[in-house]
Amino acid sequence: PGCVPSPSGLTPCVTGSVRVLQYSVKIVICVITCSCFGHFSVNLDQCGTEGLKVTSSDPDFAVQTDGTVITTCSVVFSDRTVTMLNLFSNCVLWECFLLLKVPSNKVLKRYKRRWSPPPFSIKENQKPPFPKDIEVIASDSSQNYSVRYTISGPGVRERPYDVFSIDEYTGMLRVHKTLDREEFNNITVRASSTSTNAPTDLSLPVTVIVEDENDNAPEFSGLMQYTVMEHCNTGTLVGVVRATDKDDPSTPHAKIKYRLGSGTELFLINEKNGSITARTTTLDRERQDKYLVPVEIRDMEGHPSGLSQTGTATITLGDINDNPPTFKQPSYTAEVEENKANVLILRIPVEDKDLVNTDNWRTRFVITKGNETGNFRIDVDPKTNEGLLYVVKPLDYEETKSVELQLTAQNVAKLEGTTASWSSIPVTLNVKDVDEGPEFRPGNLYLLVKENVANGTVIGTYTATDPETKKSNGMRYYKRSDPASWINVVESTGQLKVANTIDRESSFVNNSMYNITVEAVDESKKTGTGTVIIQIEDINDNMPEIKSKELVLCEGSLESVRIEASDQDNPPFSAPFFYELGKGHDGKWKLEDIKDTSAVLKPAKDLPTGVYSVPVMVKDLQGFGKEQTVTVQICHCSNGACLAKRTSTSLGVGGVLAILMSTLLLLLLCLLFAFVCTTKKDKIHMDDTGDGMLLKSNTEGPGDEVVRSQKSQPLWLVVQQVWFDYDSRNMNTMNVPPGFPNNMYQKSSSNMVVTGTLGGYSTGNYRSIQEEAEFLEFASRSTLHTWMTNALYLDKKLMYFATEDSGRYADDIPLRYGYEGRGSLAGSVGCCSELGADEGLGFLDSLGPKFKTLAEICMEK
């Protein structure tokens, strides 16, 4: 309905002619040519009519089941092709092409023409002869003009070259070569029409479609090697077979179907995607570890007419530990000599069907019974997988004549995929008796001994016995090793006696342990050895020692130094230490921040540069210690070190000589004053640089407290220990040694001084605690004889004074005076001020204010 009726005078085409171009197994291509238009019918006998279903690819036409072709709407006819697709008959696919042509011997009335030919189609792989006609290209202007046709572009003068040509007068498009759709699936040429060398229409692209034919068999892609574990579950994916086809993927020519050639009882393949899966759970690597499965791929969805190819899929089974190791024998027996250690006594082979050199195959042996004493060890030979049974601790035939072991063989990997379990076997080891030497029991003897025990002390007895007789008759004992020679061994009894002092702090002792080795020799000259381990018990035989006794204190710093001590004893005979200033300290120093092993020494007041000796008492936790002297040098520092002292070289050669001459003259002057100044009635001012000061006083005699003695006696210089309470700093009661006059001691409110007397006359030699400590320190340096010489000299001088009048006595003897202020920095230059200064030329290193003025006078400006 609604279609334009056929023009008058034209006869409808009732039936068209059908010719079969190609017939294959399931595909028939029919070309129907009709030289009329309107509605017409087509004889489809050769295409098959049973169950025929016909559709048209051109929406302007419809095909009925009886072959009638009708128009579906208004159509202006021209030469055109109608392709009817999907012709199904008895489930067979047919494809027919309907070609409609306008009769050339008729003058037709044109309603409208367009310069737009439809795409043309040609088959690939056409056979000669060439050229072959494809289709006529007609221009609208050909109705009014005489036109000429030309083509250009791909297929003409561009790749692919020289494929197409056109008849310049009729517009017939021809092909000259065989085309391959897999190389060119379509080619678009450009058609032009001209009249008297002038274009009549715009150039038009004409597309020639190269239709596919099934000329390419499918091909495998990728390696066809797959692995799946043995005893896997049904449906487990083994691998995927990959294949491709070069034909048109939109046609059945490229639809591939997969099929297994054999092995279908074990494996399945998906016919559409090529995935291979396990069909059973009985795949056993130990039975067969590899399968070669043929695979066929065929296009046309597997139709027999399709092209095919066959390949081989290699399927390897992976190993799981489904086979436990098994022993080759049900039991084993071996023999081992007694007293043997670290020897191989048995090799035990096993079998394992799993993959060699994997954890499923490697065996791990376990001694599950009979090795409670740890005498045995079993290893594995990595090459043969055999068990290696060793004796690691000696066996004693007299105690054990045979040993029953049970061995179990396991794998490194756990069992899976099987119900089997690990295997075990018994192993009997017979101990072989041998003639043995003496044996110490125990092999290691432990003794506890205090250090410093007296020589000759018996600390224990170490004896050996014959393993066969269990007796010690005829044994002789000797030392094999005794690094410090501390122990003697009694040859006949094995007694251990102290030969030398045992010192726990010795370098031969390790962690308070000292070892000796004892050897026993029986009557048959066989020997045996044993070890005596002596645990040395510590005693408090070491005092704390100050590590560094020479300290440096820099001016302007924190003005303190730390004293560190150590004790070789162990607790409780060592730290924490107790620190306190020693007896006779001068009060210039104090101790602070006392910790376990250290204390801080700090000046109690501002001190000038110089070297100071400080007595320090250090005691351990048990109160065992001694007094030690620490030397502290106060100096100007640079980077923590004292700067070098200025020497006299800075004065020049003339200055040094001048100072030496002045010093000699001054010494002679002092000796002269010793004899001349006694006639002088004026008082001599003396400066005391110590803690005690000589003060002015109206008393010019020896004082009421000095008692004259009619009996001459030697000069006594007594140093009395004065104890100070550590917390309160109060002086305790002073004890006077027996045999000494009471008037030799005088006590002040702050310190103790010692007075020397001779013949009832006081020497006036008052010294503070610091001076007495310096005296003791000086005496400890073997210089006491110098002080004794000075004492004799003073004795003679006092005897001389005793023969003179009282005036001379008062002039030259230092007296006690009340404190009335600080004296001159230069000190006294009296006749007695430099007595006892036995310093040699050392004073040049630290010239004091006494000689500085003389040096400046003598030095050249």
Side-chain angles (χ1 to χ4, degrees):
C3 290
V4 177
S6 300
S8 60
L10 296 182
T11 303
C13 179
V14 179
T15 60
S17 62
V18 176
R19 57 191 177 95
V20 179
L21 297 183
Q22 180 178 351
Y23 180 85
S24 60
V25 177
K26 285 191 177 181
I27 298 180
V28 175
I29 301 175
C30 304
V31 177
I32 304 169
T33 305
C34 186
S35 298
C36 60
F37 59 90
H39 71 274
F40 50 87
S41 62
V42 179
N43 185 0
L44 300 177
D45 292 341
Q46 295 189 46
C47 296
T49 58
E50 184 177 356
L52 183 64
K53 295 181 179 179
V54 184
T55 60
S56 173
S57 62
D58 193 331
D60 291 344
F61 297 90
V63 181
Q64 297 178 351
T65 57
D66 60 354
T68 302
V69 180
I70 62 174
T71 58
T72 58
C73 60
S74 288
V75 175
V76 177
F77 288 97
S78 64
D79 290 349
R80 62 187 297 165
T81 299
V82 177
T83 303
M84 295 178 291
L85 301 177
N86 299 327
L87 280 76
F88 292 93
S89 177
N90 294 327
C91 298
V92 177
L93 174 66
W94 305 81
E95 204 174 50
C96 297
F97 296 89
L98 178 63
L99 179 63
L100 303 181
K101 285 188 175 182
V102 177
S104 57
N105 55 354
K106 303 285 185 178
V107 178
L108 303 179
K109 180 180 179 181
R110 293 182 175 273
Y111 294 93
K112 184 178 182 182
R113 291 298 303 268
R114 294 175 297 171
W115 174 234
S116 58
F120 304 130
S121 297
I122 62 174
K123 287 289 185 180
E124 65 171 335
N125 303 324
Q126 294 188 44
K127 305 299 182 182
F130 291 102
K132 295 180 183 294
D133 293 345
I134 299 176
E135 188 60 77
V136 174
I137 300 176
S139 172
D140 295 341
S141 60
S142 62
Q143 302 295 326
N144 302 318
Y145 304 98
S146 176
V147 298
R148 300 178 64 184
Y149 298 96
T150 59
I151 56 174
S152 61
V156 185
R157 294 291 181 265
E158 297 179 15
R159 188 175 179 272
Y161 302 99
D162 303 323
V163 175
F164 302 109
S165 66
I166 191 171
D167 189 310
E168 62 179 344
Y169 299 105
T170 64
M172 176 61 72
L173 183 66
R174 298 183 176 91
V175 59
H176 295 263
K177 291 182 179 180
T178 299
L179 291 176
D180 185 3
R181 191 209 65 84
E182 284 68 44
E183 185 178 6
F184 301 99
N185 59 359
N186 66 78
I187 302 173
T188 300
V189 299
R190 184 163 293 278
S192 303
S193 62
T194 60
S195 177
T196 62
N197 296 328
T200 60
D201 294 288
L202 296 176
S203 62
L204 182 70
V206 177
T207 301
V208 179
I209 299 175
V210 182
E211 297 181 353
D212 183 46
E213 69 175 9
N214 193 18
D215 59 341
N216 291 281
E219 297 177 352
F220 292 99
S221 61
L223 296 177
M224 298 173 62
Q225 297 179 357
Y226 313 101
T227 300
V228 66
M229 301 306 291
E230 61 176 331
H231 299 294
C232 62
N233 296 327
T234 301
T236 301
L237 179 65
V238 176
V240 178
V241 178
R242 306 291 182 184
T244 59
D245 196 313
K246 296 180 181 179
D247 290 324
D248 188 354
S250 63
T251 66
H253 302 160
K255 298 296 188 293
I256 301 173
K257 183 178 181 179
Y258 300 85
R259 187 178 67 86
L260 295 181
S262 64
T264 55
E265 71 282 0
L266 299 176
F267 305 99
L268 291 175
I269 190 168
N270 187 301
E271 63 179 16
K272 292 184 177 180
N273 57 31
S275 59
I276 301 176
T277 57
R279 190 172 187 175
T280 178
T281 60
T282 60
L283 295 174
D284 189 357
R285 191 202 68 84
E286 287 71 38
R287 184 190 307 162
Q288 183 175 344
D289 62 350
K290 185 179 295 184
Y291 293 90
L292 302 178
V293 181
V295 179
E296 180 191 75
I297 51 176
R298 184 180 294 271
D299 58 15
M300 297 300 295
E301 296 182 336
H303 193 275
S305 63
L307 302 179
S308 65
Q309 189 174 140
T310 301
T312 301
T314 302
I315 302 175
T316 303
L317 298 186
D319 185 43
I320 64 173
N321 193 19
D322 57 338
N323 294 279
T326 58
F327 294 97
K328 293 186 177 181
Q329 295 181 204
S331 64
Y332 288 89
T333 301
E335 187 177 65
V336 59
E337 291 184 355
E338 64 174 333
N339 303 321
K340 293 288 186 179
N342 296 316
V343 292
L344 176 64
I345 58 176
L346 190 62
R347 296 181 74 95
I348 305 173
V350 293
E351 291 181 343
D352 197 315
K353 297 180 181 179
D354 290 317
L355 188 61
V356 177
N357 294 328
T358 65
D359 287 348
N360 300 332
W361 174 83
R362 295 185 181 95
T363 304
R364 182 171 63 91
F365 293 89
V366 180
I367 304 176
T368 55
K369 186 185 297 184
N371 194 32
E372 289 76 12
T373 56
N375 291 84
F376 305 97
R377 181 187 82 243
I378 188 164
D379 296 335
V380 179
D381 188 328
K383 294 183 179 179
T384 64
N385 211 26
E386 292 177 310
L388 307 177
L389 184 61
Y390 290 88
V391 173
V392 294
K393 292 171 60 177
L395 295 171
D396 188 356
Y397 174 81
E398 286 70 30
E399 293 184 359
T400 306
K401 293 180 174 55
S402 67
V403 179
E404 295 291 336
L405 301 178
Q406 185 176 12
L407 302 182
T408 301
Q410 304 174 353
N411 288 128
V412 175
K414 65 179 182 179
L415 287 173
E416 58 178 320
T418 180
T419 58
S421 59
W422 307 124
S423 301
S424 298
I425 59 168
V427 177
T428 302
L429 299 177
N430 296 320
V431 183
K432 184 179 179 181
D433 187 22
V434 295
D435 188 10
E436 303 170 273
E439 186 179 59
F440 283 95
R441 290 297 178 93
N444 294 327
L445 177 63
Y446 290 86
L447 298 176
L448 179 62
V449 180
K450 284 190 177 182
E451 64 175 329
N452 299 331
V453 68
N455 292 351
T457 302
V458 177
I459 62 174
T461 301
Y462 198 26
T463 59
T465 60
D466 189 306
E468 282 77 22
T469 64
K470 304 300 181 182
K471 295 181 180 180
S472 301
N473 298 338
M475 294 290 180
R476 292 291 181 266
Y477 301 95
Y478 306 95
K479 279 194 309 181
R480 175 170 287 187
S481 68
D482 182 11
S485 300
W486 285 345
I487 306 298
N488 283 336
V489 179
V490 179
E491 180 179 344
S492 60
T493 63
Q495 279 188 332
L496 306 174
K497 293 184 178 181
V498 177
N500 291 296
T501 303
I502 298 176
D503 185 8
R504 191 197 65 83
E505 290 74 37
S506 171
S507 60
F508 295 102
V509 178
N510 183 18
N511 197 23
S512 299
M513 308 288 285
Y514 179 74
N515 296 350
I516 67 172
T517 304
V518 179
E519 181 181 63
V521 182
D522 62 13
E523 294 177 344
S524 62
K525 304 303 181 183
K526 288 185 171 60
T527 62
T529 58
T531 302
V532 180
I533 302 173
I534 301 175
Q535 176 74 42
I536 304 176
E537 187 177 355
D538 189 26
I539 65 173
N540 197 9
D541 60 339
N542 292 280
M543 298 181 185
E545 288 285 344
I546 296 177
K547 295 181 180 179
S548 178
K549 297 182 180 180
E550 296 183 358
L551 306 174
V552 175
L553 181 61
C554 296
E555 279 191 333
S557 65
L558 298 178
E559 298 185 353
S560 66
V561 291
R562 182 170 291 277
I563 303 174
E564 187 76 26
S566 62
D567 195 326
Q568 296 184 10
D569 292 325
N570 281 340
F573 304 124
S574 57
F577 300 144
F578 298 95
Y579 287 86
E580 60 183 5
L581 292 176
K583 300 175 183 178
H585 71 90
D586 55 9
K588 296 180 181 179
W589 300 88
K590 59 183 179 180
L591 290 171
E592 296 179 350
D593 192 21
I594 299 176
K595 295 183 177 178
D596 287 348
T597 60
S598 65
V600 173
L601 182 64
K602 189 174 184 180
K605 56 184 177 181
D606 292 337
L607 297 176
T609 58
V611 179
Y612 297 85
S613 296
V614 183
V616 179
M617 173 67 74
V618 187
K619 298 179 181 180
D620 60 21
L621 186 59
Q622 306 299 326
F624 186 45
K626 63 181 179 180
E627 184 177 296
Q628 305 171 58
T629 301
V630 177
T631 301
V632 182
Q633 182 179 3
I634 303 178
C635 60
H636 300 288
C637 296
S638 176
N639 297 326
C642 290
L643 296 174
K645 296 182 179 180
R646 295 181 181 177
T647 61
S648 58
T649 56
S650 61
L651 300 176
V653 178
V656 172
L657 294 177
I659 291 176
L660 292 175
M661 293 297 295
S662 301
T663 303
L664 293 175
L665 290 176
L666 184 59
L667 292 176
L668 293 175
L669 182 62
C670 291
L671 294 176
L672 181 61
F673 283 167
F675 294 99
V676 178
C677 65
T678 55
T679 60
K680 192 174 182 179
K681 300 301 180 178
D682 296 336
K683 298 178 181 178
I684 299 175
H685 176 73
M686 300 185 69
D687 183 17
D688 186 358
T689 60
D691 289 340
M693 300 294 292
L694 298 179
L695 307 177
K696 296 181 180 180
S697 174
N698 294 327
T699 303
E700 299 185 0
D704 296 337
E705 69 278 15
V706 180
V707 180
R708 294 177 178 271
S709 174
Q710 301 300 325
K711 188 182 298 184
S712 299
Q713 57 184 6
L715 175 64
W716 295 91
L717 299 176
V718 181
V719 179
Q720 170 65 34
Q721 294 182 353
V722 181
W723 294 87
F724 291 85
D725 181 73
Y726 184 76
D727 296 328
S728 62
R729 301 295 194 273
N730 294 325
M731 183 179 297
N732 297 327
T733 303
M734 179 179 65
N735 298 322
V736 180
F740 290 89
N742 292 332
N743 60 354
M744 293 179 64
Y745 297 87
Q746 298 185 15
K747 185 176 182 181
S748 69
S749 61
S750 61
N751 54 29
M752 177 64 65
V753 298
V754 180
T755 305
T757 61
L758 177 63
Y761 295 97
S762 172
T763 62
N765 187 12
Y766 288 79
R767 293 196 296 271
S768 66
I769 295 299
Q770 177 186 4
E771 293 169 328
E772 293 303 322
E774 293 173 353
F775 168 75
L776 292 176
E777 180 66 14
F778 201 83
S780 66
R781 300 174 187 172
S782 301
T783 57
L784 183 59
H785 64 281
T786 303
W787 287 84
M788 295 176 64
T789 302
N790 293 338
L792 292 175
Y793 173 76
L794 292 176
D795 287 342
K796 292 180 180 180
K797 185 174 181 180
L798 289 176
M799 292 298 294
Y800 172 76
F801 287 160
T803 60
E804 299 298 323
D805 56 12
S806 59
R808 290 181 56 81
Y809 178 86
D811 289 339
D812 284 18
I813 295 178
L815 305 176
R816 291 188 302 152
Y817 298 96
Y819 183 79
E820 295 182 1
R822 189 169 184 177
S824 170
L825 292 176
S828 173
V829 293
C831 61
C832 300
S833 62
E834 295 299 320
L835 293 180
D838 187 16
E839 296 179 349
L841 297 180
F843 70 95
L844 294 176
D845 295 332
S846 58
L847 295 176
K850 298 181 180 180
F851 302 102
K852 185 175 181 180
T853 304
L854 292 176
E856 292 175 352
I857 295 174
C858 297
M859 189 170 60
E860 295 181 2
K861 299 297 184 181

